[in-house]
Amino acid sequence: MTLEITVRGYAEKHYPAEIAEVQLSAAIEGHEKERVLHDAVAIQKPLTKQLAELVEKGAATKWSSDQVRVYSRHPWGPNGERLDLTHYANLSVSAEFTDFERLSGFIDYWAGKDGVEIGGVAWDVTARNRRTYESDVRRAAVDEAVAKAQSYADSLRKGRVHAVQLADPGMLHHDHVRPEFAMAKSALMDSGASSQLQITPEDIVIFVEVDAKFLAD
């Protein structure tokens, strides 16, 4: 009697971070609207100039500054009273780095400047390498599914399993779930005496799940 076996294979691999996208903004507030915007632009100009230089040197691959937010409101005081009208200007800047030492120095410098907010750093591998890595992990997930199915077959004294269906998680039941995921975190470290910021990313974790159906005689 032919045995039908349905399993889910899983695999994950760790890869060093290859790129880092940092988010910053020139954020100014005050009671004169024109002055607020002027001061924000005064921060943005040298910031983007430095990024352009880092791109030329190969430390960064690209940068952009394409979001502008200017608004006004009456903030609330500590006793619930409405305070004088305050104006706000926020000019966003983002950049992608491949030189993490230069990135550390860049953040260390601008984090100490008034009116600059660091929104965070997102880590990843390059798009080209991601395709290769995901392919490798996917093959490992399939191998794991085959091994699991064969283990079930062996426990029932069946022969070699043969795959008849292979799908992304849930697709065998028409409930698709995206199979590839990547995770990364970073640690911001104070080096002590030098006070130089050090950024140490954790590895990028890519993991894949696959559903598979096998037959064993």
Side-chain angles (χ1 to χ4, degrees):
M1 180 178 178
T2 300
L3 176 68
E4 182 179 285
I5 305 171
T6 303
V7 298
R8 176 165 294 180
Y10 171 87
E12 73 171 45
K13 293 186 179 183
H14 296 233
Y15 299 92
E18 298 167 347
I19 56 176
E21 183 176 349
V22 59
Q23 302 287 341
L24 309 91
S25 61
I28 300 294
E29 63 179 75
H31 297 296
E32 297 181 19
K33 192 170 187 178
E34 290 185 4
R35 184 65 185 179
V36 166
L37 183 57
H38 176 274
D39 290 348
V41 171
I43 294 172
Q44 180 200 41
K45 284 185 176 180
L47 195 162
T48 55
K49 179 182 178 181
Q50 184 178 5
L51 285 174
E53 293 172 350
L54 289 170
V55 169
E56 290 181 0
K57 295 176 181 178
T61 57
K62 61 183 179 180
W63 67 270
S64 64
S65 181
D66 56 5
Q67 297 295 322
V68 179
R69 188 181 181 208
V70 181
Y71 62 99
S72 304
R73 66 182 179 89
H74 289 278
W76 293 97
N79 299 318
E81 74 278 15
R82 298 300 297 271
L83 302 179
D84 293 340
L85 187 66
T86 302
H87 304 284
Y88 303 84
N90 189 294
L91 310 181
S92 68
V93 179
S94 64
E96 185 179 275
F97 280 76
T98 53
D99 186 327
F100 298 160
E101 184 175 350
R102 289 285 185 90
L103 172 63
S104 296
F106 175 80
I107 293 178
D108 187 53
Y109 176 80
W110 286 103
K113 296 295 183 180
D114 292 338
V116 175
E117 296 180 356
I118 309 295
V121 181
W123 306 90
D124 207 343
V125 294
T126 65
R128 180 178 181 179
N129 285 342
R130 171 174 288 281
R131 289 191 291 271
T132 300
Y133 299 155
E134 288 179 348
S135 180
D136 291 343
V137 179
R138 193 176 295 111
R139 282 193 292 268
V142 172
D143 289 343
E144 203 264 348
V146 173
K148 185 184 291 186
Q150 189 63 59
S151 177
Y152 283 129
D154 291 345
S155 67
L156 295 176
R157 304 297 189 270
K158 293 292 184 177
R160 188 174 183 83
V161 297
H162 303 280
V164 293
Q165 281 187 289
L166 184 65
D168 290 342
M171 290 293 288
L172 292 181
H173 306 289
H174 309 290
D175 181 22
H176 177 60
V177 179
R178 183 175 182 268
E180 293 94 4
F181 298 85
M183 301 182 299
K185 296 186 290 184
S186 62
L188 302 183
M189 302 170 55
D190 188 338
S191 60
S194 67
S195 73
Q196 173 69 39
L197 180 70
Q198 294 182 351
I199 299 178
T200 306
E202 292 186 357
D203 286 348
I204 306 298
V205 182
I206 297 178
F207 59 94
V208 175
E209 291 179 323
V210 296
D211 285 353
K213 184 177 291 186
F214 296 85
L215 296 179
D217 296 323

